[in-house]
Amino acid sequence: GRIEIGDNCYIGHHTHIRSAQNIKIGNYVLISHGCNIIDTNAHEENHLERAQTYLDILYQGHPKENYNVITRPIIIEDYAWLSYNVSVLKGTRIGKGAIIAAGSVVTKDVDSFTLVAGNPAKFIKKLNS
């Protein structure tokens, strides 16, 4: 995967960014402690494929390609703020200046200059731009 991080960003302790495709983080993005940003399911949905991949990893190392693992890019635009323990899942875009409340799970796109919260994250209010 590919991870791009813009200028003047902060990434807190115990935050994990895992990419199998592409994660792009803009400028002046604040990512608090304990966040997870993951652009992939990481494993196959089929139980037999998943078990075989596990054995392959144990005995041969990680494969270069994940044929049946779903991945979609993540984009976090400039000036966004992810509070503590936020999870951002595959295929989402967080708009410019958006705030993601602590403990939220982002499963859909977040509009610019909005506050979202919850699991799954839902619109709370529009912010001043």
Side-chain angles (χ1 to χ4, degrees), residues 19-37:
S19 177
Q21 185 173 2
N22 189 43
I23 296 173
K24 184 175 182 181
I25 298 171
N27 301 312
Y28 297 94
V29 172
L30 302 178
I31 300 173
S32 297
H33 308 294
C35 294
N36 287 292
I37 302 170

Side-chain angles (χ1 to χ4, degrees), residues 40-51 53 66-72 90:
T40 178
N41 280 358
H43 298 285
E44 297 85 356
E45 290 180 357
N46 178 278
H47 66 288
L48 296 176
E49 289 177 4
R50 190 170 55 245
T53 297
N66 293 319
Y67 296 105
N68 291 315
V69 176
I70 298 169
T71 64
R72 291 197 308 264
K90 68 184 180 307

Side-chain angles (χ1 to χ4, degrees), residues 6-7 22 32 39 45 58 83 87 93-94 121:
D7 295 330
N22 189 43
S32 297
D39 72 356
E45 290 180 357
L58 280 179
S83 191
S87 292
R93 173 187 292 266
I94 296 175

Side-chain angles (χ1 to χ4, degrees), residues 12-114:
H13 293 287
H14 306 293
T15 285
H16 300 278
I17 302 172
R18 295 183 176 101
S19 177
Q21 185 173 2
N22 189 43
I23 296 173
K24 184 175 182 181
I25 298 171
N27 301 312
Y28 297 94
V29 172
L30 302 178
I31 300 173
S32 297
H33 308 294
C35 294
N36 287 292
I37 302 170
I38 307 165
D39 72 356
T40 178
N41 280 358
H43 298 285
E44 297 85 356
E45 290 180 357
N46 178 278
H47 66 288
L48 296 176
E49 289 177 4
R50 190 170 55 245
Q52 183 60 53
T53 297
Y54 170 70
L55 291 175
D56 291 347
I57 289 169
L58 280 179
Y59 298 110
Q60 301 168 12
H62 283 277
K64 299 227 184 278
E65 295 185 35
N66 293 319
Y67 296 105
N68 291 315
V69 176
I70 298 169
T71 64
R72 291 197 308 264
I74 292 172
I75 298 171
I76 301 174
E77 295 181 0
D78 298 347
Y79 302 100
W81 172 28
L82 282 61
S83 191
Y84 296 98
N85 299 312
V86 164
S87 292
V88 179
L89 303 184
K90 68 184 180 307
T92 56
R93 173 187 292 266
I94 296 175
K96 180 178 181 179
I99 299 174
I100 314 301
S104 296
V105 178
V106 177
T107 61
K108 304 188 288 190
D109 290 353
V110 175
D111 289 337
S112 295
F113 300 105
T114 58

